[in-house]
Amino acid sequence: TRYINDRGYKTYAVNEFPWTFGEATGETATDISLLLSGYQRVGFEWNEAEGVYYKTNTSGSYRHGDIAGKAITAKNVLVLYSGQFWENDTTIDFYLESGKGYLFSDGKMRRFDWSRDDDGFTMTEENGDKLALAPGKVYMCVASSYLEDSLSYQ
C-alpha cells in the first residue's frame, strides 16, 4: 500500500459500483473458455472446494499472476462484449459503450446487459435489476463482440 499511497493512486471508488451482492443463480458453468480477441483465448475452471475460478491460459495451464507464482483466482468472472476499433498482436481498443455480458459466479452463469457513460458502468440483470454477484473477488474480461459465439461453458 505504500507504493500506492506514494503515487497518489485512488484506493476507493469514485462512483457507485455497477453491481450489488447476492446469491449466485443460473445455469451450471464450471469450465469456461472464450476468445478475448483474434490472438488470445482464456479459460476459467471452477474449484468447488475453494469456491473460486482458476484462470487458465491458451495451453490450459493455470495462469500465474504474481511474483510468488500464485494462480489468478476469482469468485466472480465478468465477461463484457464490446465493439472494437483496433487490434494488433499486443493491443485492442474497445468502444466500451454498451453490450451483452456474462456473469460466472459460484459455478453458475447468467447473462446481463451493461452500458457505460460519464458516470461509469451500469450492469443489469435481464429483468432490469442491478447485477448481483456473490461476495468475493471479481475478474473482468472485455472481449470483442464479434467473438461472442466463441464462448463455451459447461
Side-chain angles (χ1 to χ4, degrees):
T1 58
R2 186 171 142 220
Y3 179 88
I4 293 169
N5 293 334
D6 289 348
R7 284 156 183 76
Y9 296 131
K10 295 177 184 166
T11 58
Y12 57 89
V14 176
N15 297 317
E16 182 178 325
F17 280 103
W19 57 73
T20 187
F21 294 103
E23 184 178 339
T25 60
E27 301 174 39
T28 299
T30 56
D31 188 16
I32 306 156
S33 176
L34 67 137
L35 284 170
L36 294 179
S37 71
Y39 293 92
Q40 185 180 19
R41 176 176 292 281
V42 297
F44 297 89
E45 294 176 5
W46 176 247
N47 182 308
E48 182 72 35
E50 295 179 35
V52 295
Y53 285 97
Y54 276 78
K55 183 178 181 195
T56 60
N57 61 19
T58 305
S59 69
S61 61
Y62 290 130
R63 180 70 188 222
H64 299 287
D66 65 17
I67 200 162
K70 291 175 57 178
I72 296 172
T73 62
K75 182 77 164 181
N76 302 281
V77 176
L78 296 172
V79 179
L80 305 177
Y81 283 101
S82 175
Q84 72 176 59
F85 59 89
W86 173 255
E87 177 180 0
N88 63 29
D89 60 343
T90 60
T91 305
I92 305 173
D93 293 328
F94 293 100
Y95 290 109
L96 288 179
E97 294 170 336
S98 65
K100 298 291 181 190
Y102 293 80
L103 164 63
F104 298 94
S105 182
D106 277 345
K108 302 192 182 308
M109 184 284 299
R110 290 195 316 276
R111 292 169 187 79
F112 66 94
D113 295 311
W114 68 270
S115 63
R116 184 180 71 104
D117 59 22
D118 291 341
D119 294 325
F121 282 94
T122 301
M123 297 178 184
T124 56
E125 305 273 1
E126 289 182 323
N127 67 5
D129 291 344
K130 194 177 212 180
L131 184 64
L133 280 61
K137 191 182 341 178
V138 178
Y139 188 95
M140 187 181 301
C141 303
V142 179
S144 301
S145 55
Y146 76 90
L147 296 171
E148 185 176 354
D149 290 343
S150 78
L151 175 67
S152 64
Y153 57 90
Q154 40 182 328

